[in-house]
Amino acid sequence: LDKDTTGALVVAKDLPTARHVSACFAERRVEKRYLALVRGEVAVEEGQIDLPIAQGTGGKMRLRGERGRPAESHYRVLERFRGYSLVEVRPLTGRQHQVRLHLAGIGHPVAVDPLYGGKEALYLSEIKPGYRRKKEERPEAPLMGRLTLHAAHLGLELADGTRLAVDAPLPPDFERLLRVLRKYAIR
């Protein structure tokens, strides 16, 4: 997971299991679903993003590079708010920063993602109409000061044939942000 992304991940307890899990990822036999709050109201209910990803500079990746590796994601809009959308993203490949880059590539970057077009943080004053801080001498605390990206589901078949499925509930800060959006930013 990218730094500041919450959610499900798998850790192998021994080398044979680690090899099996690595092979599952390499062979695209892992089901991954992310929840992302993005900037803007995504107009298309669901779609596919097929944009190659290449190494950029300064730790950044970039889209459509000459030497870009194929990358594909499917997305579905779950909720729309005034100025934001909650989307579910299923990356079919596993490129570094893929979900973040693909969402930015369709014009809807992850809402809090300063690396790829999002903001540094989200504040109540940006969402609640007529909001006024009570104490002007103190800076406003952010509702969310990290990536608005969550690995909600991870599923794969273990070496013995049993299915492993991990669902991670949204963390409290993400839940709180969605409550605020549902209260003050309904379309």
Side-chain angles (χ1 to χ4, degrees):
L1 294 177
D2 293 343
K3 183 179 183 255
D4 289 337
T5 299
T6 57
L9 59 96
V10 63
V11 177
K13 292 173 77 173
D14 56 48
L15 190 56
T17 304
R19 286 185 179 133
H20 174 77
V21 170
S22 290
C24 287
F25 276 96
E27 297 164 8
R28 300 181 187 170
R29 294 185 288 130
V30 177
E31 179 185 333
K32 301 169 276 188
R33 282 196 314 263
Y34 288 82
L35 295 178
L37 183 72
V38 300
R39 287 189 10 207
E41 297 172 33
V42 180
V44 179
E45 206 61 37
E46 58 184 85
Q48 180 174 319
I49 307 165
D50 192 356
L51 297 170
I53 295 174
Q55 184 68 46
T57 57
K60 270 180 97 168
M61 302 300 285
R62 60 188 173 87
L63 289 174
R64 301 181 189 99
E66 290 174 9
R67 297 182 182 180
R69 296 175 67 196
E72 185 180 350
S73 302
H74 292 260
Y75 70 90
R76 177 172 64 104
V77 176
L78 300 177
E79 276 184 87
R80 287 185 184 88
F81 307 101
R82 190 179 55 252
Y84 301 94
S85 298
L86 179 65
V87 296
E88 177 187 78
V89 181
R90 290 181 300 118
L92 301 179
T93 49
R95 308 289 176 234
Q96 184 178 1
H97 299 178
Q98 178 174 325
V99 172
R100 296 162 66 188
L101 277 161
H102 275 177
L103 291 170
I106 63 167
H108 296 285
V110 171
V112 178
D113 185 359
L115 195 58
Y116 296 113
K119 299 178 179 191
E120 294 279 339
L122 275 180
Y123 296 91
L124 182 58
S125 59
E126 297 173 281
I127 297 167
K128 183 178 177 182
Y131 172 80
R132 289 183 191 225
R133 286 190 318 237
K134 291 180 180 157
K135 298 194 176 193
E136 294 296 328
E137 67 273 1
R138 271 197 227 147
E140 181 181 0
L143 282 171
M144 184 79 101
R146 62 170 185 82
L147 291 176
T148 49
L149 183 61
H150 177 73
H153 175 83
L154 185 66
L156 66 122
E157 190 174 297
L158 298 175
D160 66 4
T162 60
R163 184 91 181 132
L164 172 67
V166 179
D167 291 305
L170 281 173
D173 59 348
F174 210 134
E175 284 281 4
R176 185 174 48 253
L177 175 59
L178 290 176
R179 278 195 308 273
V180 167
L181 287 165
R182 289 175 184 132
K183 185 173 182 177
Y184 298 113
I186 294 299
R187 291 179 55 213

